[in-house]
Amino acid sequence: MYDLAIIGGGPAGIAAGVYAARKRLKTIFIAETIGGQSMDSFGIENWIGTQKISGLDLAKSFEAHLRAYAADIVDIKLGERATKVENLPAQAGTSGGFSITTSKGSYEAKAALVATGGVRRRLEVPGAKEFENKGVTYCASCDGPLFSGQDTVVVGGGNAGFETAAQLLAYAKSVTLMSRSDFSRADAKTVGAVSAHPNFKGLQFTMPTEIKGDVFVSSMVVKNSKTGETVELPAAGVFVETGMVPSTDYVKGLVELDEFNRIKINPKNQRTSVDGVWAAGDCTDELYHQNNIAAGDAVKALEDIYFWLKANSKI
């Protein structure tokens, strides 16, 4: 049995893995990939200590840092997806630990840290599913260059939406970004820089209603929620940045979730409703979701996990 199971390979999981290694906690580290949502980012400029780095390079840095400390302390299992976490029978009046079932096997640990983030929310309008990968995309860094010299649309008015627009403006003929509200959810500096580009147009209080095309996307119909006006925009590419759905299905029935299926945590120590289970990053009900916050919350959790294990005479 391991001291700790860390589930997830984003900034929270990596930070936890490094700290677990340094604290000499025998750890099983389970992740499908390393990098998390940052893998889709063309340029990250708010990772503290690094002025700018691509998502791919950040993921490489994450893995190198973890492996530098892992040695025989952290057992790294990549390419595995957790499917279920369950309580083990209590032993001698203490928690019996947890069983973690994955796509390739099962493991046991005395404590668990859930750090699996989330997946991109799909656009649900007529045509969105039919034209996915035929003009509708959820990864600008992956697919953006395919739309060089063409009209594009970005759905989502947060930081992710404006960062996607900034990337597309380097080669697209035009970029129209729409937000269901105003642009206050995005960083003002980023909004200003993107809005100043001559090939950019921002639409506030606007929602997509339909995506049209033949073999590939050719246009998107949008509606202004204040005026009721409907407009059809020419578009070869539709880039969706409408938020995330937390990856928490495998702990349903184990820990308490909120109405959005995010794990409820105590922000002082990242503890969940179940003794012996912690959570950090975008899978939690933390108010703000960013790489730096996810990493910091994971470090906070590891400090608490260490003392919890020690207090329970398990290390």
Side-chain angles (χ1 to χ4, degrees):
M1 178 179 283
Y2 293 92
D3 294 320
L4 173 64
I6 297 172
I7 309 170
I14 295 297
V18 170
Y19 269 70
R22 291 173 63 87
K23 291 180 179 297
R24 309 294 291 178
L25 299 179
K26 186 63 178 175
T27 300
I28 179 76
F29 181 97
I30 303 165
E32 290 190 84
T33 59
I34 287 180
Q37 299 167 37
S38 295
M39 288 287 287
D40 293 335
S41 297
F42 181 73
I44 299 165
E45 299 182 2
N46 60 353
W47 181 246
I48 300 303
T50 303
Q51 292 184 11
K52 186 173 183 179
I53 188 171
S54 71
L56 182 59
D57 286 340
L58 183 61
K60 291 177 180 178
S61 176
F62 280 166
E63 183 167 359
H65 197 172
L66 178 61
R67 291 192 183 279
Y69 286 97
D72 60 346
I73 302 300
V74 178
D75 188 3
I76 302 172
K77 301 290 186 181
L78 298 183
E80 296 194 31
R81 177 177 54 85
T83 57
K84 192 73 174 178
V85 180
E86 299 175 289
N87 280 306
L88 291 171
Q91 299 175 356
T94 64
S95 168
F98 303 91
S99 170
I100 301 93
T101 302
T102 77
S103 54
K104 294 185 178 180
S106 63
Y107 310 94
E108 294 183 355
K110 300 167 187 175
L113 173 64
V114 179
T116 39
V119 295
R120 292 182 179 273
R121 191 181 303 278
R122 259 37 192 177
L123 186 62
E124 295 184 359
V125 299
K129 184 175 181 180
E130 292 81 354
F131 288 107
E132 188 165 330
N133 298 320
K134 298 177 182 178
V136 176
T137 177
Y138 296 83
C139 180
S141 59
C142 307
D143 302 327
L146 299 174
F147 300 91
S148 178
Q150 301 183 66
D151 295 308
T152 61
V153 172
V154 177
V155 181
N159 278 329
F162 275 92
E163 289 169 2
T164 291
Q167 179 181 342
L168 294 173
L169 285 166
Y171 36 75
K173 177 183 177 182
S174 70
V175 178
T176 300
L177 181 146
M178 69 186 69
S179 174
R180 65 187 179 198
S181 59
D182 59 20
F183 295 152
S184 61
R185 293 182 296 119
D187 176 73
K189 183 178 179 181
T190 303
V191 173
V194 173
S195 299
H197 197 287
N199 296 335
F200 174 83
K201 182 178 182 179
L203 301 177
Q204 301 183 69
F205 304 102
T206 301
M207 294 288 290
T209 60
E210 184 181 3
I211 297 173
K212 296 182 176 182
D214 186 7
V215 178
F216 297 98
V217 171
S218 61
S219 66
M220 170 180 275
V221 181
V222 303
K223 182 178 182 179
N224 185 290
S225 61
K226 286 194 169 184
T227 66
E229 180 184 8
T230 298
V231 176
E232 185 169 348
L233 304 173
V238 175
F239 295 81
V240 184
E241 294 288 354
T242 54
M244 307 297 296
V245 177
S247 298
T248 57
D249 284 350
Y250 66 99
V251 290
K252 282 184 178 178
L254 175 69
V255 298
E256 187 177 357
L257 306 177
D258 69 5
E259 65 270 31
F260 303 108
N261 289 323
R262 300 174 302 190
I263 300 172
K264 291 187 176 182
I265 52 96
N266 180 340
K268 292 178 65 177
N269 50 30
Q270 304 300 123
R271 293 191 184 197
T272 71
S273 59
V274 173
D275 192 35
V277 181
W278 287 253
D282 288 7
C283 62
T284 75
D285 62 353
E286 159 69 56
L287 183 58
Y288 303 108
H289 291 166
Q290 295 184 23
N291 282 349
N292 292 297
I293 294 171
D297 283 351
V299 170
K300 187 197 311 179
L302 253 292
E303 296 290 350
D304 198 58
I305 290 168
Y306 177 81
F307 288 111
W308 182 87
L309 286 167
K310 188 172 182 180
N312 284 277
S313 300
K314 295 185 178 183
I315 60 172

PDB file of all heavy atoms in Angstrom, residues 3 35 40-41 80 84-85 98 101-102 146 154 171-172 174 183 191 224 262 279 290 292 303:
ATOM      1  N   ASP A   3       1.633   5.354   0.563  1.00  0.00           N
ATOM      2  CA  ASP A   3       1.203   6.383   1.501  1.00  0.00           C
ATOM      3  C   ASP A   3       0.155   7.276   0.865  1.00  0.00           C
ATOM      4  O   ASP A   3      -0.836   7.648   1.489  1.00  0.00           O
ATOM      5  CB  ASP A   3       2.390   7.261   1.937  1.00  0.00           C
ATOM      6  CG  ASP A   3       3.412   6.505   2.754  1.00  0.00           C
ATOM      7  OD1 ASP A   3       3.004   5.678   3.595  1.00  0.00           O
ATOM      8  OD2 ASP A   3       4.621   6.735   2.543  1.00  0.00           O
ATOM      9  N   GLY A  35       0.504  17.825 -18.043  1.00  0.00           N
ATOM     10  CA  GLY A  35       0.333  19.147 -18.629  1.00  0.00           C
ATOM     11  C   GLY A  35      -1.010  19.775 -18.342  1.00  0.00           C
ATOM     12  O   GLY A  35      -1.134  20.979 -18.199  1.00  0.00           O
ATOM     13  N   ASP A  40      -3.113  23.082 -24.268  1.00  0.00           N
ATOM     14  CA  ASP A  40      -3.794  23.733 -25.384  1.00  0.00           C
ATOM     15  C   ASP A  40      -3.415  25.204 -25.534  1.00  0.00           C
ATOM     16  O   ASP A  40      -3.910  25.878 -26.433  1.00  0.00           O
ATOM     17  CB  ASP A  40      -5.320  23.641 -25.192  1.00  0.00           C
ATOM     18  CG  ASP A  40      -5.818  22.211 -25.293  1.00  0.00           C
ATOM     19  OD1 ASP A  40      -5.144  21.398 -25.946  1.00  0.00           O
ATOM     20  OD2 ASP A  40      -6.872  21.914 -24.713  1.00  0.00           O
ATOM     21  N   SER A  41      -2.533  25.688 -24.677  1.00  0.00           N
ATOM     22  CA  SER A  41      -2.191  27.110 -24.682  1.00  0.00           C
ATOM     23  C   SER A  41      -0.982  27.391 -25.564  1.00  0.00           C
ATOM     24  O   SER A  41       0.062  26.746 -25.435  1.00  0.00           O
ATOM     25  CB  SER A  41      -1.900  27.600 -23.258  1.00  0.00           C
ATOM     26  OG  SER A  41      -3.044  27.479 -22.447  1.00  0.00           O
ATOM     27  N   GLU A  80      -2.853   6.233 -17.791  1.00  0.00           N
ATOM     28  CA  GLU A  80      -3.906   5.564 -17.026  1.00  0.00           C
ATOM     29  C   GLU A  80      -4.935   6.591 -16.570  1.00  0.00           C
ATOM     30  O   GLU A  80      -4.596   7.680 -16.120  1.00  0.00           O
ATOM     31  CB  GLU A  80      -3.334   4.833 -15.812  1.00  0.00           C
ATOM     32  CG  GLU A  80      -2.389   3.707 -16.174  1.00  0.00           C
ATOM     33  CD  GLU A  80      -2.097   2.768 -15.011  1.00  0.00           C
ATOM     34  OE1 GLU A  80      -2.982   2.585 -14.152  1.00  0.00           O
ATOM     35  OE2 GLU A  80      -0.973   2.240 -14.954  1.00  0.00           O
ATOM     36  N   LYS A  84     -12.470   4.846 -10.607  1.00  0.00           N
ATOM     37  CA  LYS A  84     -13.199   4.730  -9.351  1.00  0.00           C
ATOM     38  C   LYS A  84     -12.240   4.829  -8.168  1.00  0.00           C
ATOM     39  O   LYS A  84     -11.161   4.246  -8.185  1.00  0.00           O
ATOM     40  CB  LYS A  84     -13.930   3.375  -9.284  1.00  0.00           C
ATOM     41  CG  LYS A  84     -14.951   3.266  -8.159  1.00  0.00           C
ATOM     42  CD  LYS A  84     -16.198   4.073  -8.444  1.00  0.00           C
ATOM     43  CE  LYS A  84     -17.286   3.857  -7.405  1.00  0.00           C
ATOM     44  NZ  LYS A  84     -18.492   4.688  -7.659  1.00  0.00           N
ATOM     45  N   VAL A  85     -12.651   5.588  -7.152  1.00  0.00           N
ATOM     46  CA  VAL A  85     -11.929   5.632  -5.879  1.00  0.00           C
ATOM     47  C   VAL A  85     -12.912   5.221  -4.803  1.00  0.00           C
ATOM     48  O   VAL A  85     -14.005   5.784  -4.690  1.00  0.00           O
ATOM     49  CB  VAL A  85     -11.368   7.032  -5.576  1.00  0.00           C
ATOM     50  CG1 VAL A  85     -10.631   7.029  -4.232  1.00  0.00           C
ATOM     51  CG2 VAL A  85     -10.420   7.484  -6.683  1.00  0.00           C
ATOM     52  N   PHE A  98      -7.650   3.693   0.677  1.00  0.00           N
ATOM     53  CA  PHE A  98      -8.492   3.814  -0.501  1.00  0.00           C
ATOM     54  C   PHE A  98      -7.985   2.921  -1.623  1.00  0.00           C
ATOM     55  O   PHE A  98      -6.788   2.704  -1.772  1.00  0.00           O
ATOM     56  CB  PHE A  98      -8.529   5.270  -0.968  1.00  0.00           C
ATOM     57  CG  PHE A  98      -9.010   6.203   0.098  1.00  0.00           C
ATOM     58  CD1 PHE A  98      -8.116   6.805   0.971  1.00  0.00           C
ATOM     59  CD2 PHE A  98     -10.367   6.439   0.261  1.00  0.00           C
ATOM     60  CE1 PHE A  98      -8.559   7.635   1.982  1.00  0.00           C
ATOM     61  CE2 PHE A  98     -10.821   7.277   1.265  1.00  0.00           C
ATOM     62  CZ  PHE A  98      -9.922   7.873   2.127  1.00  0.00           C
ATOM     63  N   THR A 101      -9.109   2.439  -8.770  1.00  0.00           N
ATOM     64  CA  THR A 101      -9.200   1.620  -9.969  1.00  0.00           C
ATOM     65  C   THR A 101      -8.931   2.501 -11.179  1.00  0.00           C
ATOM     66  O   THR A 101      -9.465   3.611 -11.280  1.00  0.00           O
ATOM     67  CB  THR A 101     -10.596   0.987 -10.097  1.00  0.00           C
ATOM     68  OG1 THR A 101     -10.866   0.204  -8.930  1.00  0.00           O
ATOM     69  CG2 THR A 101     -10.673   0.090 -11.334  1.00  0.00           C
ATOM     70  N   THR A 102      -8.109   2.026 -12.099  1.00  0.00           N
ATOM     71  CA  THR A 102      -7.783   2.787 -13.298  1.00  0.00           C
ATOM     72  C   THR A 102      -8.122   1.972 -14.544  1.00  0.00           C
ATOM     73  O   THR A 102      -8.568   0.830 -14.449  1.00  0.00           O
ATOM     74  CB  THR A 102      -6.292   3.166 -13.343  1.00  0.00           C
ATOM     75  OG1 THR A 102      -5.517   2.007 -13.727  1.00  0.00           O
ATOM     76  CG2 THR A 102      -5.801   3.694 -12.002  1.00  0.00           C
ATOM     77  N   LEU A 146      -4.706  25.976 -39.446  1.00  0.00           N
ATOM     78  CA  LEU A 146      -5.467  25.448 -40.579  1.00  0.00           C
ATOM     79  C   LEU A 146      -6.381  26.500 -41.188  1.00  0.00           C
ATOM     80  O   LEU A 146      -6.862  26.331 -42.315  1.00  0.00           O
ATOM     81  CB  LEU A 146      -6.309  24.239 -40.132  1.00  0.00           C
ATOM     82  CG  LEU A 146      -5.544  23.027 -39.582  1.00  0.00           C
ATOM     83  CD1 LEU A 146      -6.529  21.989 -39.061  1.00  0.00           C
ATOM     84  CD2 LEU A 146      -4.655  22.426 -40.655  1.00  0.00           C
ATOM     85  N   VAL A 154     -14.712  33.159 -32.381  1.00  0.00           N
ATOM     86  CA  VAL A 154     -14.383  32.612 -31.069  1.00  0.00           C
ATOM     87  C   VAL A 154     -15.612  32.762 -30.188  1.00  0.00           C
ATOM     88  O   VAL A 154     -16.163  33.858 -30.058  1.00  0.00           O
ATOM     89  CB  VAL A 154     -13.187  33.336 -30.431  1.00  0.00           C
ATOM     90  CG1 VAL A 154     -12.923  32.783 -29.027  1.00  0.00           C
ATOM     91  CG2 VAL A 154     -11.948  33.193 -31.308  1.00  0.00           C
ATOM     92  N   TYR A 171      -2.784  35.034 -38.090  1.00  0.00           N
ATOM     93  CA  TYR A 171      -2.853  34.486 -39.443  1.00  0.00           C
ATOM     94  C   TYR A 171      -4.265  34.447 -40.038  1.00  0.00           C
ATOM     95  O   TYR A 171      -4.422  34.254 -41.234  1.00  0.00           O
ATOM     96  CB  TYR A 171      -2.275  33.061 -39.489  1.00  0.00           C
ATOM     97  CG  TYR A 171      -2.550  32.228 -38.282  1.00  0.00           C
ATOM     98  CD1 TYR A 171      -3.806  31.686 -38.046  1.00  0.00           C
ATOM     99  CD2 TYR A 171      -1.548  31.984 -37.344  1.00  0.00           C
ATOM    100  CE1 TYR A 171      -4.065  30.917 -36.941  1.00  0.00           C
ATOM    101  CE2 TYR A 171      -1.799  31.217 -36.222  1.00  0.00           C
ATOM    102  CZ  TYR A 171      -3.054  30.677 -36.021  1.00  0.00           C
ATOM    103  OH  TYR A 171      -3.297  29.922 -34.899  1.00  0.00           O
ATOM    104  N   ALA A 172      -5.308  34.645 -39.252  1.00  0.00           N
ATOM    105  CA  ALA A 172      -6.660  34.600 -39.794  1.00  0.00           C
ATOM    106  C   ALA A 172      -7.008  35.901 -40.522  1.00  0.00           C
ATOM    107  O   ALA A 172      -6.455  36.962 -40.226  1.00  0.00           O
ATOM    108  CB  ALA A 172      -7.669  34.346 -38.681  1.00  0.00           C
ATOM    109  N   SER A 174      -9.988  37.328 -40.357  1.00  0.00           N
ATOM    110  CA  SER A 174     -10.722  38.094 -39.359  1.00  0.00           C
ATOM    111  C   SER A 174     -11.042  37.204 -38.176  1.00  0.00           C
ATOM    112  O   SER A 174     -11.124  35.974 -38.313  1.00  0.00           O
ATOM    113  CB  SER A 174     -12.032  38.655 -39.941  1.00  0.00           C
ATOM    114  OG  SER A 174     -12.962  37.618 -40.173  1.00  0.00           O
ATOM    115  N   PHE A 183     -17.284  41.980 -21.415  1.00  0.00           N
ATOM    116  CA  PHE A 183     -15.940  41.411 -21.423  1.00  0.00           C
ATOM    117  C   PHE A 183     -15.238  41.532 -20.069  1.00  0.00           C
ATOM    118  O   PHE A 183     -14.016  41.432 -19.980  1.00  0.00           O
ATOM    119  CB  PHE A 183     -15.088  42.096 -22.501  1.00  0.00           C
ATOM    120  CG  PHE A 183     -15.569  41.853 -23.909  1.00  0.00           C
ATOM    121  CD1 PHE A 183     -15.320  42.795 -24.909  1.00  0.00           C
ATOM    122  CD2 PHE A 183     -16.255  40.693 -24.241  1.00  0.00           C
ATOM    123  CE1 PHE A 183     -15.751  42.572 -26.208  1.00  0.00           C
ATOM    124  CE2 PHE A 183     -16.687  40.464 -25.537  1.00  0.00           C
ATOM    125  CZ  PHE A 183     -16.446  41.411 -26.530  1.00  0.00           C
ATOM    126  N   VAL A 191      -7.812  42.316 -23.151  1.00  0.00           N
ATOM    127  CA  VAL A 191      -8.950  42.792 -23.933  1.00  0.00           C
ATOM    128  C   VAL A 191      -8.554  43.998 -24.785  1.00  0.00           C
ATOM    129  O   VAL A 191      -8.860  44.080 -25.974  1.00  0.00           O
ATOM    130  CB  VAL A 191     -10.138  43.159 -23.026  1.00  0.00           C
ATOM    131  CG1 VAL A 191     -11.255  43.822 -23.845  1.00  0.00           C
ATOM    132  CG2 VAL A 191     -10.671  41.917 -22.330  1.00  0.00           C
ATOM    133  N   ASN A 224     -28.202  38.746 -30.484  1.00  0.00           N
ATOM    134  CA  ASN A 224     -27.932  39.677 -29.401  1.00  0.00           C
ATOM    135  C   ASN A 224     -29.060  39.561 -28.377  1.00  0.00           C
ATOM    136  O   ASN A 224     -30.227  39.739 -28.703  1.00  0.00           O
ATOM    137  CB  ASN A 224     -27.841  41.110 -29.928  1.00  0.00           C
ATOM    138  CG  ASN A 224     -27.436  42.091 -28.850  1.00  0.00           C
ATOM    139  OD1 ASN A 224     -28.197  42.374 -27.931  1.00  0.00           O
ATOM    140  ND2 ASN A 224     -26.226  42.624 -28.963  1.00  0.00           N
ATOM    141  N   ARG A 262     -18.292  19.896  -8.871  1.00  0.00           N
ATOM    142  CA  ARG A 262     -16.963  20.211  -8.365  1.00  0.00           C
ATOM    143  C   ARG A 262     -16.847  19.695  -6.943  1.00  0.00           C
ATOM    144  O   ARG A 262     -17.824  19.688  -6.186  1.00  0.00           O
ATOM    145  CB  ARG A 262     -16.715  21.717  -8.403  1.00  0.00           C
ATOM    146  CG  ARG A 262     -16.804  22.317  -9.797  1.00  0.00           C
ATOM    147  CD  ARG A 262     -16.694  23.829  -9.777  1.00  0.00           C
ATOM    148  NE  ARG A 262     -17.726  24.440  -8.939  1.00  0.00           N
ATOM    149  CZ  ARG A 262     -17.975  25.737  -8.889  1.00  0.00           C
ATOM    150  NH1 ARG A 262     -17.271  26.573  -9.627  1.00  0.00           N
ATOM    151  NH2 ARG A 262     -18.929  26.206  -8.106  1.00  0.00           N
ATOM    152  N   ALA A 279      -8.330  17.507  -2.354  1.00  0.00           N
ATOM    153  CA  ALA A 279      -8.511  17.845  -3.772  1.00  0.00           C
ATOM    154  C   ALA A 279      -7.928  19.228  -4.033  1.00  0.00           C
ATOM    155  O   ALA A 279      -7.915  20.094  -3.150  1.00  0.00           O
ATOM    156  CB  ALA A 279      -9.984  17.805  -4.163  1.00  0.00           C
ATOM    157  N   GLN A 290      -6.663  28.931 -11.848  1.00  0.00           N
ATOM    158  CA  GLN A 290      -5.500  29.275 -12.652  1.00  0.00           C
ATOM    159  C   GLN A 290      -4.380  28.314 -12.295  1.00  0.00           C
ATOM    160  O   GLN A 290      -4.398  27.666 -11.242  1.00  0.00           O
ATOM    161  CB  GLN A 290      -5.046  30.714 -12.386  1.00  0.00           C
ATOM    162  CG  GLN A 290      -6.041  31.773 -12.814  1.00  0.00           C
ATOM    163  CD  GLN A 290      -5.499  33.177 -12.612  1.00  0.00           C
ATOM    164  OE1 GLN A 290      -4.302  33.396 -12.555  1.00  0.00           O
ATOM    165  NE2 GLN A 290      -6.403  34.136 -12.502  1.00  0.00           N
ATOM    166  N   ASN A 292      -1.265  28.826 -11.315  1.00  0.00           N
ATOM    167  CA  ASN A 292      -0.548  29.149 -10.089  1.00  0.00           C
ATOM    168  C   ASN A 292      -1.369  28.800  -8.848  1.00  0.00           C
ATOM    169  O   ASN A 292      -0.827  28.327  -7.839  1.00  0.00           O
ATOM    170  CB  ASN A 292      -0.183  30.639 -10.066  1.00  0.00           C
ATOM    171  CG  ASN A 292       0.852  30.984 -11.110  1.00  0.00           C
ATOM    172  OD1 ASN A 292       1.971  30.502 -11.077  1.00  0.00           O
ATOM    173  ND2 ASN A 292       0.486  31.824 -12.068  1.00  0.00           N
ATOM    174  N   GLU A 303       1.185  19.623   2.419  1.00  0.00           N
ATOM    175  CA  GLU A 303       1.603  19.923   3.789  1.00  0.00           C
ATOM    176  C   GLU A 303       0.641  19.285   4.780  1.00  0.00           C
ATOM    177  O   GLU A 303       1.050  18.670   5.776  1.00  0.00           O
ATOM    178  CB  GLU A 303       1.658  21.430   4.006  1.00  0.00           C
ATOM    179  CG  GLU A 303       2.693  22.164   3.171  1.00  0.00           C
ATOM    180  CD  GLU A 303       4.118  21.869   3.612  1.00  0.00           C
ATOM    181  OE1 GLU A 303       4.321  21.251   4.682  1.00  0.00           O
ATOM    182  OE2 GLU A 303       5.047  22.235   2.863  1.00  0.00           O
TER     183      GLU A 303
END
